[in-house]
Amino acid sequence: MLREGVKPNMFTYSSVLRACDGLSNLRQLHSSIMKYGLESDTFVRSALIDIYSKLGELQNALHVFHEMVTGDSVVWNSIIGAFAQHSDGDEALNIYKSMKREGFPTDQSTLTSVLRACTSLSLLELGLQIHVHVLKFNQDLILNNALLDMYCKCGSLEDANFIFSRMVEKDVISWSIMIAGLAQNGFSLEALNLFKSMKVFGPKPNYITILGVLFACSHAGLVNEGWYYFQSMKKLFGIDPGREHYGCIIDLLGRAGKLDDAVKLIHEMKCEPDAVTWRALLGACRVHRNLDLAIYSAKQILKLDPEDAGTYVLLSNIYANSQRWEDVAEVRKTMRGRGVRKEPGCSWIEVNKQIHAFILRDNSHPQIHEINRKLSQFIHTLIGVGYVPDTNFVLQDLEGEQRADSLQYHSEKLAIVFGIMSISREKTIRIWKNLRICGDCHAFAKLITKIENRHIVIRDPVRYHHFKDGVCSCGDYW
DNA sequence: CTAGGGTTAG
């Protein structure tokens, strides 16, 4: 077209941009758009933002956005969607606020991205407010899916079940969200029952649906059922097991103590095992105290992911527990040499629309003294009813948090105590954290729900724990 | 009578 001297217009570019497959490609297109003076067209602009975002170039996307003189809702939606999809919920919400301030109307697409931002930040309160706006629109499948996912990820299964039952149209994504959501929140049997009704009433399951099903089996310890689905997924649903399915099954076998079978399966995998695969095995080694295999798995992880701080810490603790001090020193040296630092444990809780963060060894919270005093009282009371601070794990300090001297100050304990102090009794205390919960905090949370008669939900990077009446929805299996 | 934005796992 250019060779023949035909001048491209905005229609041309908004179509061609969608076919763009790389950054150098895109830069060329962008500069010729500027040359023809077409960058002010809203269609071209939203396409540019979209493509920069798909290539992970968020700063460039933002740059295009900020040069906007005349815009429309779609351009705003593009930039909000870009940040929401790249897990920068904060920025997505900030831009959403500006959009409203400047008087642009909100539509289904805007709300979908805003809900996704709420999901990644675990902002249930804001999500509930957005839900009110959702009701102004006719039922919209994608928007409902985002709402459903928000409730699942924020640990509010009552709301999720309600939305799911009321959706007039459900696709494979709706079913997959609900199945995985139930499984992650500890309702494995409900997840499997839902999958059974999906087979009768719903669409054909896909790759991700099966992952949710295997996840449910693994977290409920249903070895036979999980193994059956894994073995027959190709025949029943026409889906070849991928790396993630193997990961779930290795987790399933490993948790059940079948470490040899798990190792055997890793060697039989059709795709190359990755760090996630080995981490599943390592988790099982930790639970079942298999030191040699733990060391082996940790080394495999570090080959594939040399920056994984948690694995270094774990490996060095494994050596320490076997009095292999030279190996301990070696691991610490490698870690320092590669500039890897362990992430401190951090927990967040939303109180009166304010996020409060508790970071290990950080005392900047204004009420930290009161919280610590209260925490000591609780620990004292709990010891009276049989709580034993668990400072004696064989493989301690999994993520840099589980040290005996700091056990009391684990961020989730502080967040729980703060929640009890500041959230009214009938409301659920909801906490989310960056690392997995440790055995001691888990025991602490269970007992405190009993003596205080509270409901606590803790979301960690992998799953959710619903504590009530002294028990946890995970059945102490995580 | 040719263009644009939104949802699931890891």
Side-chain angles (χ1 to χ4, degrees):
Chain A
M1 181 173 171
L2 296 175
R3 234 182 349 259
E4 303 228 340
V6 181
K7 206 177 139 198
N9 65 9
M10 52 276 243
F11 291 96
T12 325
Y13 281 111
S14 58
S15 305
V16 170
L17 278 170
R18 305 185 62 187
C20 177
D21 62 355
L23 199 54
S24 61
N25 220 331
L26 177 53
R27 287 198 203 288
Q28 268 180 7
L29 284 171
H30 196 167
S31 66
S32 61
I33 286 167
M34 304 294 276
K35 196 175 88 191
Y36 290 107
L38 295 171
E39 72 278 8
S40 57
D41 181 76
T42 53
F43 283 79
V44 173
R45 190 181 297 276
S46 61
L48 271 173
I49 292 173
D50 193 38
I51 300 299
Y52 272 123
S53 150
K54 286 200 169 89
L55 295 174
E57 296 285 321
L58 284 185
Q59 286 315 309
N60 280 319
L62 200 57
H63 189 68
V64 171
F65 175 76
H66 278 140
E67 289 189 330
M68 178 163 70
V69 183
T70 53
D72 66 1
S73 293
V74 178
V75 180
W76 284 92
N77 289 345
S78 299
I79 193 70
I80 293 171
F83 283 100
Q85 282 160 37
H86 286 90
S87 319
D88 192 343
D90 245 348
E91 187 64 14
L93 293 178
N94 284 333
I95 301 175
Y96 171 61
K97 281 182 209 147
S98 317
M99 179 184 184
K100 288 209 300 188
R101 207 163 40 232
E102 299 204 11
F104 286 91
T106 294
D107 66 11
Q108 291 96 320
S109 171
T110 328
L111 295 181
T112 304
S113 295
V114 171
L115 281 170
R116 183 163 169 165
C118 294
T119 306
S120 64
L121 297 171
S122 260
L123 299 179
L124 180 62
E125 292 300 323
L126 183 57
L128 282 159
Q129 285 178 32
I130 300 298
H131 187 170
V132 177
H133 298 291
V134 168
L135 299 174
K136 294 181 204 152
F137 295 97
N138 288 328
Q139 288 230 5
D140 178 293
L141 178 60
I142 298 180
L143 180 52
N144 277 336
N145 283 345
L147 188 62
L148 186 64
D149 192 42
M150 185 276 294
Y151 281 127
C152 286
K153 296 276 165 47
C154 291
S156 189
L157 271 288
E158 308 80 22
D159 291 304
N161 277 319
F162 179 75
I163 297 293
F164 189 76
S165 66
R166 293 275 301 263
M167 281 169 69
V168 290
E169 189 192 355
K170 301 184 185 86
D171 65 359
V172 64
I173 295 181
S174 327
W175 289 85
S176 304
I177 291 169
M178 197 65 220
I179 291 169
L182 286 165
Q184 284 172 323
N185 281 281
F187 305 100
S188 291
L189 298 179
E190 289 85 346
L192 294 174
N193 282 334
L194 188 63
F195 181 58
K196 284 176 188 128
S197 49
M198 179 180 181
K199 284 191 280 188
V200 180
F201 305 108
K204 197 164 106 46
N206 68 10
Y207 186 97
I208 293 169
T209 320
I210 307 297
L211 268 182
V213 172
L214 296 182
F215 191 83
C217 294
S218 131
H219 283 266
L222 301 169
V223 180
N224 293 336
E225 196 150 0
W227 185 249
Y228 164 75
Y229 282 126
F230 178 69
Q231 286 288 304
S232 53
M233 56 187 278
K234 174 73 176 160
K235 200 172 82 210
L236 294 178
F237 314 112
I239 299 156
D240 277 313
R243 206 180 261 135
E244 287 121 320
H245 297 105
Y246 276 100
C248 276
I249 290 299
I250 287 156
D251 190 60
L252 174 83
L253 294 170
R255 283 163 189 281
K258 298 169 182 282
L259 292 173
D260 295 338
D261 291 336
V263 174
K264 197 162 148 250
L265 192 63
I266 292 184
H267 292 303
E268 286 171 13
M269 280 172 68
K270 292 202 184 71
C271 35
E272 276 295 298
D274 65 357
V276 179
T277 318
W278 291 109
R279 236 176 257 131
L281 187 62
L282 180 59
C285 293
R286 183 183 138 250
V287 174
H288 296 287
R289 318 275 157 101
N290 185 325
L291 297 188
D292 291 334
L293 194 54
I295 292 169
Y296 176 69
S297 317
K299 287 189 169 169
Q300 297 294 329
I301 295 170
L302 294 177
K303 257 193 239 168
L304 294 161
D305 185 1
E307 311 260 294
D308 188 23
T311 301
Y312 285 103
V313 175
L314 178 54
L315 186 56
S316 110
N317 279 285
I318 294 169
Y319 285 135
N321 277 296
S322 316
Q323 276 85 46
R324 290 165 62 169
W325 305 115
E326 285 176 17
D327 291 316
V328 171
E330 182 67 29
V331 172
R332 298 280 174 178
K333 201 177 126 204
T334 314
M335 199 173 162
R336 267 198 309 275
R338 292 182 182 166
V340 178
R341 303 189 53 170
K342 48 183 180 180
E343 191 181 3
C346 187
S347 299
W348 296 266
I349 180 168
E350 187 180 356
V351 173
N352 295 331
K353 296 190 186 117
Q354 279 274 328
I355 305 296
H356 296 255
F358 294 91
I359 305 164
L360 189 71
R361 279 184 273 275
D362 168 281
N363 289 323
S364 61
H365 192 280
Q367 285 155 274
I368 191 70
H369 296 302
E370 198 188 342
I371 295 167
N372 276 326
R373 207 182 56 238
K374 199 88 179 134
L375 175 57
S376 296
Q377 283 174 12
F378 277 131
I379 289 178
H380 187 75
T381 312
L382 291 180
I383 287 173
V385 295
Y387 166 65
V388 182
D390 189 352
T391 57
N392 238 345
F393 272 26
V394 174
L395 303 178
Q396 262 185 38
D397 204 8
L398 174 60
E399 310 273 1
E401 242 193 353
Q402 301 187 11
R403 290 222 316 250
D405 63 328
S406 59
L407 212 50
Q408 171 169 355
Y409 306 106
H410 274 187
S411 56
E412 59 266 53
K413 286 203 187 76
L414 299 175
I416 289 171
V417 171
F418 180 64
I420 292 174
M421 286 162 49
S422 38
I423 294 176
S424 59
R425 190 163 285 279
E426 70 282 0
K427 287 183 90 175
T428 300
I429 295 170
R430 297 173 190 277
I431 291 163
W432 78 99
K433 60 167 293 171
N434 62 336
L435 305 176
R436 300 218 59 190
I437 187 168
C438 85
D440 181 61
C441 288
H442 196 266
F444 175 87
K446 284 198 295 185
L447 285 169
I448 209 155
T449 56
K450 196 169 178 180
I451 62 161
E452 285 291 300
N453 192 23
R454 304 287 301 230
H455 185 187
I456 300 176
V457 180
I458 300 183
R459 167 185 182 177
D460 77 20
V462 181
R463 59 172 304 129
Y464 302 71
H465 300 265
H466 292 246
F467 299 97
K468 207 177 176 181
D469 300 329
V471 292
C472 178
S473 59
C474 77
D476 301 338
Y477 194 87
W478 79 93

